[in-house]
Amino acid sequence: GAPLFRLLDAADIPNLDASKITSGILPVHRGGTGASTLTGMLKGNGTNAFTGITAKATQLTYWSDANTIAGNDSLIWDATNRKMTIGGDLLVTGILDPKALILIPQNTQPATIEGTIFYDNNSKKLKVQTDSGVETIQSGSISENNWKMTGNANTDSTTNFLGTTDNQPLIFKTNNTERVHFSTNGKILINNPSPAADSIQVSIAGDTKIDGDLVVTGLLDPIAISMVPQNNAPSTAKEGMIYYNNSSKSLNVYNGTDWKEMSSAPVVARAYRSTDTTITTGTSLKINFDSESFDPTNSFSNGKFTAPVTGYYRISSSSEMHLPYSYHYAQLTIKKNGSDIAKGLWYATYDYSGVGPHILTMVEDLVYLEQSDYIEIFIDKNTTMASDLKGGSALTYISINLVK
């Protein structure tokens, strides 16, 4: 008959060595790999087996997708020098926090995008790509190499200065407009960027006001010098000082003692009484010369001559008077600042029949006048009877000229 056997039970094989299993493939859920051969790292295929993953030496592995680990030549690890090489871009969304960041020096500008920083091996400077071009990032300690907004100390003019070390000008601007231009040959142009003539070292476009002294050791070479007219000489004078006198219309120089006129239109003047004047008093009477023959310095006013400059003046005056009787007389007097200076002569020139004599009287003298001193002519007669002072340019007049 057919023998009957019971099935093996796990207890029947208490110590089975793994080497006894020499065929078949153990599945993953039985502790196997699900594969007959494997090379490299193991990767589960998501079902019941593993596969092998290989990479080159020195490559760093990375997840190429959610379930795959891979290697690439763009990520290399140099174990000897402890250096990682990235062949592409390093995108950091957080903060880089290294001890030092080393940029490979570039002899030519790399193709960059805005925001890129690189090290220029030629200028030995860091540079950044902006929206308007490449700009240099200034390096150096604020306390050592850069000028501070609050001032600098311990400077050496041979190495610490504002300016350029190449053949380029130094420009100062306000509101992005050039104001001061220091050219490469040392000329200074203020509000005037156009090149100056060879002999001009400083060129200023516009008016220039100097409240202090202007010291010039060379030559002044202007088209014209305009001085502000002064009615009076400067109160504080120094030898060699020059000013323009508005009264005399002249330049004046201080010689250390007095102001001396340098040049001007000649100080001359002539005025006369235009109409007859009846005089009924016997006292001294001022002659009002109401018409001018010439007066270039505008020195006559209300019959009075005022000296525009200090100097010696020749004063000449003449008048004709119709007197009632031949024994009456008249006399002219020059007065300076209201005081008598000189008196003239009198005599009868001719006698109109039935109307009495006509007396011609004259006075002349050389008078020293300070600037603003004034001259007046007075007439005296020895009678209170009505007398006529004859008017006319040739009859009653005064003429003045500056001699020195």
Side-chain angles (χ1 to χ4, degrees):
L4 296 176
F5 297 95
R6 64 176 178 85
L7 296 176
L8 290 175
D9 186 81
D12 296 331
I13 311 174
N15 296 304
L16 179 64
D17 190 276
S19 62
K20 300 298 183 180
I21 304 174
T22 59
S23 62
I25 297 174
L26 290 177
V28 174
H29 65 276
R30 294 300 184 189
T33 62
S36 59
T37 61
L38 289 173
T39 301
M41 298 179 65
L42 299 182
K43 171 193 171 185
N45 62 7
T47 57
N48 60 356
F50 288 96
T51 58
I53 299 174
T54 61
K56 294 181 181 180
T58 72
Q59 286 183 346
L60 295 177
T61 58
Y62 62 95
W63 290 98
S64 60
D65 58 40
N67 299 307
T68 306
I69 296 175
N72 191 283
D73 288 338
S74 295
L75 293 174
I76 301 297
W77 171 251
D78 184 349
T80 302
N81 298 308
R82 301 179 62 189
K83 180 173 70 174
M84 183 176 69
T85 301
I86 300 176
D89 295 335
L90 175 62
L91 178 62
V92 180
T93 58
I95 297 175
L96 281 175
D97 190 18
K99 291 184 177 180
L101 184 64
I102 300 176
L103 299 177
I104 299 173
Q106 302 296 309
N107 293 322
T108 59
Q109 179 182 328
T112 60
I113 61 174
E114 185 177 352
T116 302
I117 298 175
F118 67 95
Y119 183 82
D120 189 331
N121 194 38
N122 299 302
S123 63
K124 307 301 181 183
K125 297 287 185 180
L126 281 176
K127 293 188 175 182
V128 61
Q129 177 74 46
T130 69
D131 61 344
S132 58
V134 176
E135 297 182 4
T136 299
I137 301 175
Q138 297 299 325
S139 60
S141 172
I142 292 296
S143 61
E144 294 178 0
N145 296 327
N146 293 344
W147 287 97
K148 295 183 291 185
M149 297 296 291
T150 55
N152 300 271
N154 302 318
T155 60
D156 181 351
S157 60
T158 59
T159 55
N160 306 123
F161 58 89
L162 287 176
T164 62
T165 57
D166 54 4
N167 191 28
Q168 295 296 323
L170 175 64
I171 308 297
F172 287 169
K173 291 185 178 183
T174 60
N175 196 27
N176 202 32
T177 301
E178 181 174 312
R179 304 303 184 189
V180 182
H181 181 115
F182 295 87
S183 66
T184 56
N185 58 359
K187 295 181 179 181
I188 302 174
L189 310 177
I190 302 176
N191 288 327
N192 181 21
S194 301
D198 290 341
S199 61
I200 297 177
Q201 295 300 311
V202 179
S203 176
I204 302 175
D207 297 337
T208 301
K209 180 181 179 181
I210 301 175
D211 291 326
D213 297 335
L214 174 63
V215 179
V216 180
T217 57
L219 298 175
L220 283 174
D221 188 20
I223 295 175
I225 297 177
S226 178
M227 294 186 173
V228 179
Q230 302 294 312
N231 293 323
N232 300 298
S235 57
T236 302
K238 295 181 179 180
E239 186 174 356
M241 185 180 289
I242 299 173
Y243 84 100
Y244 181 81
N245 187 289
N246 195 38
S247 300
S248 63
K249 310 300 181 185
S250 65
L251 284 176
N252 294 264
V253 61
Y254 191 72
N255 63 9
T257 304
D258 300 308
W259 285 101
K260 295 296 182 181
E261 183 179 291
M262 296 172 59
S263 64
S264 68
V267 180
V268 292
R270 188 180 190 277
Y272 61 93
R273 178 67 190 170
S274 61
T275 58
D276 293 354
T277 303
T278 299
I279 303 174
T280 58
T281 179
T283 59
S284 180
L285 179 68
K286 174 186 171 182
I287 299 177
N288 183 16
F289 300 101
D290 57 359
S291 298
E292 297 175 359
S293 300
F294 47 82
D295 181 19
T297 56
N298 297 319
S299 300
F300 263 111
S301 178
N302 297 323
K304 179 173 67 175
F305 173 82
T306 301
V309 295
T310 298
Y312 295 91
Y313 291 80
R314 176 69 64 182
I315 313 294
S316 299
S317 183
S318 178
S319 67
E320 182 172 320
M321 180 172 284
H322 174 213
L323 296 173
Y325 300 101
S326 58
Y327 57 82
H328 292 162
Y329 63 87
Q331 185 179 46
L332 292 180
T333 301
I334 300 174
K335 290 193 176 187
K336 171 186 172 181
N337 300 333
S339 299
D340 292 355
I341 292 296
K343 291 183 177 293
L345 300 175
W346 63 90
Y347 53 90
T349 56
Y350 49 86
D351 187 356
Y352 292 112
S353 176
V355 296
H358 282 239
I359 300 300
L360 179 66
T361 178
M362 303 178 66
V363 64
E364 183 178 71
D365 200 1
L366 185 65
V367 181
Y368 177 77
L369 299 177
E370 297 281 353
Q371 183 183 10
S372 299
D373 286 345
Y374 61 91
I375 291 293
E376 296 171 305
I377 302 297
F378 282 74
I379 188 167
D380 297 289
K381 61 188 183 70
N382 66 341
T383 177
T384 58
M385 298 179 66
S387 305
D388 291 332
L389 178 65
K390 307 302 289 183
S393 174
L395 299 178
T396 300
Y397 63 86
I398 180 175
S399 62
I400 301 174
N401 69 292
L402 176 64
V403 177
K404 182 179 179 181

